[in-house]
């Protein structure tokens, strides 16, 4: 509600219940609920993954009815998808204007229609604006993390290392199925918790690497500012 009111004030919308205000209210609501459901799912799945798999004696049992968990998971996916599509539409609908404030260098050249005594200042080349606009477009492809590394590392840990066996329904923890005589079926809550845990750790490691790289080696945003 607060975000919708702020949007109405920033865009000078006079009507209190205009279609734009209601649309923004629904989108902000989807974004907030999607984030809330995400952290509820992440916290619940991490709890069962750490407590259930780490217990020596069985004292915590997995829920038998997974329908509420599936409902929240599907709702989270739909709400976040709507929020991301709305963000993508807004990002591709903006009009960006580049204003070049660079002044002429002061070099005088004679014009073709003037006499020898009439001269004019040189204008700033338009290619400079084109170059800056092209660099601005290239900045849109820069990411804080590498999706290729994220997915490849996830597959390495789950398939090659064998961490996917941590999502089985049996309480003991193992990554090599030859260590045990019986391997039970996979549990949805444990599988979601394992995916969140691996993805979150890989995300943190990439953000730390990206921070150090931008801090001590190269920062694309700062390079663009220096170019301007």
């Amino acid at each position: 509600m607060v975000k919708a009111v702020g949007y109405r004030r920033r865009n000078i919308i006079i009507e209190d219940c205009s279609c734009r205000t209601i649309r923004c209210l629904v989108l902000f609501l989807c974004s907030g609920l999607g984030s809330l459901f995400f952290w509820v799912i992440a916290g619940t799945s991490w709890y069962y993954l750490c407590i259930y798999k780490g217990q020596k004696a069985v004292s915590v049992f997995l829920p038998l009815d997974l329908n509420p968990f599936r409902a929240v998971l599907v709702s989270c996916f739909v709400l976040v998808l709507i929020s991301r599509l709305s963000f993508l539409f807004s990002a591709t609908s903006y009009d960006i204007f580049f204003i070049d404030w660079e002044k002429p260098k002061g070099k005088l050249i004679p014009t073709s229609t003037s006499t020898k005594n009439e001269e004019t200042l040189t204008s700033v080349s338009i290619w400079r604006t084109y170059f800056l606009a092209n660099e601005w477009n290239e900045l849109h492809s820069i990411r804080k993390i590498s999706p290729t590394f994220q997915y490849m590392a996830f597959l390495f840990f789950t398939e090659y290392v064998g961490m996917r066996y941590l999502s089985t329904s049996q309480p003991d923890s193992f990554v090599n199925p030859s260590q045990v005589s019986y391997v039970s079926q996979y549990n949805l809550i444990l599988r979601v918790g394992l995916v969140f845990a691996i993805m979150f750790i890989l995300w943190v490691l990439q953000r730390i690497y990206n921070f150090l790289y931008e801090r001590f080696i190269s920062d694309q945003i700062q390079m663009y500012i220096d170019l301007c």
Side-chain angles (χ1 to χ4, degrees):
M1 181 65 72
V2 175
K3 290 184 178 180
V5 173
Y7 175 84
R8 184 175 64 87
R9 290 180 178 177
R10 290 193 303 269
N11 292 271
I12 316 178
I13 301 176
I14 301 177
E15 298 84 359
D16 293 335
C17 296
S18 62
C19 295
R20 292 176 59 187
T21 304
I22 296 176
R23 176 176 59 85
C24 291
L25 177 61
V26 173
L27 293 177
F28 289 142
L29 183 63
C30 291
S31 177
L33 289 178
S35 300
L36 176 62
F37 289 168
F38 174 83
W39 290 114
V40 169
I41 294 173
T44 303
S45 57
W46 286 348
Y47 168 79
Y48 280 106
L49 180 65
C50 297
I51 301 301
Y52 181 78
K53 283 294 185 178
Q55 57 187 347
K56 298 295 182 180
V58 180
S59 59
V60 177
F61 296 91
L62 295 173
L64 297 178
D65 186 10
L66 298 179
N67 290 328
F69 186 82
R70 290 193 182 96
V72 178
L73 182 63
V74 173
S75 300
C76 175
F77 174 78
V78 173
L79 293 174
V80 173
L81 179 62
I82 294 175
S83 176
R84 294 300 92 189
L85 290 177
S86 172
F87 176 79
L88 180 62
F89 176 78
S90 299
T92 55
S93 301
Y94 290 144
D95 294 328
I96 301 176
F97 298 91
F98 287 89
I99 302 177
D100 194 348
W101 295 101
E102 182 182 6
K103 297 180 180 180
K105 300 301 182 180
K107 183 179 179 180
L108 299 176
I109 58 174
T111 60
S112 59
T113 59
S114 61
T115 61
K116 294 182 179 180
N117 296 328
E118 294 181 352
E119 294 178 337
T120 182
L121 293 175
T122 57
S123 61
V124 179
S125 175
I126 189 60
W127 291 107
R128 181 177 184 274
T129 304
Y130 289 161
F131 178 72
L132 292 178
N134 180 67
E135 293 296 323
W136 173 264
N137 288 330
E138 292 182 358
L139 288 179
H140 293 174
S141 61
I142 298 177
R143 293 177 176 267
K144 293 295 183 180
I145 64 173
S146 173
T148 303
F149 173 81
Q150 185 87 2
Y151 298 137
M152 294 301 295
F154 174 78
L155 292 176
F156 172 79
F157 285 109
T158 54
E159 299 297 330
Y160 183 78
V161 178
M163 296 184 66
R164 61 190 177 97
Y165 294 106
L166 294 175
S167 61
T168 55
S169 299
Q170 53 200 95
D172 50 343
S173 302
F174 61 92
V175 295
N176 188 358
S178 61
Q179 299 175 353
V180 294
S181 58
Y182 171 74
V183 178
S184 61
Q185 62 182 357
Y186 296 101
N187 183 268
L188 177 61
I189 298 179
L190 298 180
R191 176 173 286 184
V192 172
L194 181 64
V195 171
F196 280 162
I198 296 177
M199 285 294 189
F200 180 75
I201 293 174
L202 293 175
W203 176 81
V204 171
L205 293 177
Q206 289 198 77
R207 290 304 301 266
I208 294 176
Y209 170 79
N210 184 267
F211 171 78
L212 296 177
Y213 183 85
E214 291 182 350
R215 180 67 176 82
F216 298 103
I217 300 179
S218 176
D219 187 358
Q220 298 293 333
I221 303 297
Q222 188 61 43
M223 291 177 59
Y224 182 78
I225 296 176
D226 296 339
L227 179 63
C228 295

